[in-house]
mmCIF file of all heavy atoms in Angstrom:
data_model
loop_
_atom_site.group_PDB
_atom_site.id
_atom_site.type_symbol
_atom_site.label_atom_id
_atom_site.label_comp_id
_atom_site.label_asym_id
_atom_site.label_seq_id
_atom_site.Cartn_x
_atom_site.Cartn_y
_atom_site.Cartn_z
ATOM 1 N N SER A 263 24.204 33.950 -1.328
ATOM 2 C CA SER A 263 23.763 32.759 -2.048
ATOM 3 C C SER A 263 24.339 31.529 -1.355
ATOM 4 O O SER A 263 25.394 31.584 -0.717
ATOM 5 C CB SER A 263 24.232 32.810 -3.503
ATOM 6 O OG SER A 263 23.849 31.636 -4.203
ATOM 7 N N LEU A 264 23.627 30.414 -1.476
ATOM 8 C CA LEU A 264 24.041 29.153 -0.876
ATOM 9 C C LEU A 264 24.193 28.105 -1.977
ATOM 10 O O LEU A 264 23.399 28.074 -2.927
ATOM 11 C CB LEU A 264 23.019 28.675 0.157
ATOM 12 C CG LEU A 264 22.718 29.638 1.304
ATOM 13 C CD1 LEU A 264 21.517 29.147 2.113
ATOM 14 C CD2 LEU A 264 23.930 29.811 2.207
ATOM 15 N N THR A 265 25.166 27.240 -1.832
ATOM 16 C CA THR A 265 25.365 26.137 -2.776
ATOM 17 C C THR A 265 25.028 24.834 -2.082
ATOM 18 O O THR A 265 25.710 24.434 -1.132
ATOM 19 C CB THR A 265 26.816 26.089 -3.279
ATOM 20 O OG1 THR A 265 27.161 27.351 -3.868
ATOM 21 C CG2 THR A 265 26.980 24.990 -4.320
ATOM 22 N N VAL A 266 23.970 24.175 -2.539
ATOM 23 C CA VAL A 266 23.540 22.908 -1.953
ATOM 24 C C VAL A 266 24.464 21.801 -2.453
ATOM 25 O O VAL A 266 24.651 21.634 -3.660
ATOM 26 C CB VAL A 266 22.074 22.595 -2.328
ATOM 27 C CG1 VAL A 266 21.650 21.239 -1.753
ATOM 28 C CG2 VAL A 266 21.147 23.700 -1.818
ATOM 29 N N VAL A 267 25.063 21.036 -1.513
ATOM 30 C CA VAL A 267 26.018 19.991 -1.904
ATOM 31 C C VAL A 267 25.674 18.626 -1.319
ATOM 32 O O VAL A 267 26.294 17.622 -1.684
ATOM 33 C CB VAL A 267 27.460 20.371 -1.493
ATOM 34 C CG1 VAL A 267 27.946 21.581 -2.280
ATOM 35 C CG2 VAL A 267 27.558 20.618 0.010
ATOM 36 N N GLU A 268 24.694 18.563 -0.421
ATOM 37 C CA GLU A 268 24.379 17.278 0.204
ATOM 38 C C GLU A 268 22.959 17.309 0.755
ATOM 39 O O GLU A 268 22.464 18.358 1.195
ATOM 40 C CB GLU A 268 25.359 16.994 1.342
ATOM 41 C CG GLU A 268 25.131 15.683 2.081
ATOM 42 C CD GLU A 268 25.876 15.643 3.402
ATOM 43 O OE1 GLU A 268 27.109 15.738 3.386
ATOM 44 O OE2 GLU A 268 25.213 15.528 4.453
ATOM 45 N N ALA A 269 22.285 16.174 0.713
ATOM 46 C CA ALA A 269 20.954 16.030 1.302
ATOM 47 C C ALA A 269 20.888 14.688 2.019
ATOM 48 O O ALA A 269 21.201 13.646 1.423
ATOM 49 C CB ALA A 269 19.866 16.116 0.230
ATOM 50 N N ASP A 270 20.514 14.702 3.285
ATOM 51 C CA ASP A 270 20.384 13.468 4.078
ATOM 52 C C ASP A 270 21.642 12.609 4.020
ATOM 53 O O ASP A 270 21.583 11.385 3.848
ATOM 54 C CB ASP A 270 19.165 12.648 3.615
ATOM 55 C CG ASP A 270 17.853 13.294 4.003
ATOM 56 O OD1 ASP A 270 17.875 14.358 4.631
ATOM 57 O OD2 ASP A 270 16.798 12.724 3.666
ATOM 58 N N ALA A 271 22.794 13.266 4.165
ATOM 59 C CA ALA A 271 24.093 12.580 4.201
ATOM 60 C C ALA A 271 24.417 11.850 2.901
ATOM 61 O O ALA A 271 25.092 10.818 2.910
ATOM 62 C CB ALA A 271 24.180 11.622 5.383
ATOM 63 N N VAL A 272 23.943 12.379 1.777
ATOM 64 C CA VAL A 272 24.308 11.863 0.453
ATOM 65 C C VAL A 272 24.647 13.072 -0.417
ATOM 66 O O VAL A 272 23.864 14.026 -0.497
ATOM 67 C CB VAL A 272 23.164 11.054 -0.192
ATOM 68 C CG1 VAL A 272 23.600 10.531 -1.566
ATOM 69 C CG2 VAL A 272 22.739 9.903 0.710
ATOM 70 N N TYR A 273 25.814 13.034 -1.068
ATOM 71 C CA TYR A 273 26.220 14.140 -1.920
ATOM 72 C C TYR A 273 25.247 14.305 -3.092
ATOM 73 O O TYR A 273 24.728 13.319 -3.632
ATOM 74 C CB TYR A 273 27.626 13.912 -2.467
ATOM 75 C CG TYR A 273 28.700 13.811 -1.413
ATOM 76 C CD1 TYR A 273 29.647 12.786 -1.449
ATOM 77 C CD2 TYR A 273 28.786 14.738 -0.377
ATOM 78 C CE1 TYR A 273 30.647 12.688 -0.490
ATOM 79 C CE2 TYR A 273 29.772 14.649 0.592
ATOM 80 C CZ TYR A 273 30.698 13.618 0.536
ATOM 81 O OH TYR A 273 31.678 13.518 1.491
ATOM 82 N N VAL A 274 25.014 15.560 -3.484
ATOM 83 C CA VAL A 274 24.147 15.854 -4.623
ATOM 84 C C VAL A 274 24.911 16.733 -5.613
ATOM 85 O O VAL A 274 25.948 17.313 -5.286
ATOM 86 C CB VAL A 274 22.848 16.569 -4.181
ATOM 87 C CG1 VAL A 274 22.037 15.694 -3.240
ATOM 88 C CG2 VAL A 274 23.143 17.921 -3.526
#
Side-chain angles (χ1 to χ4, degrees):
S263 178
L264 303 170
T265 304
V266 178
V267 294
E268 180 195 299
D270 289 359
V272 180
Y273 299 133
V274 299

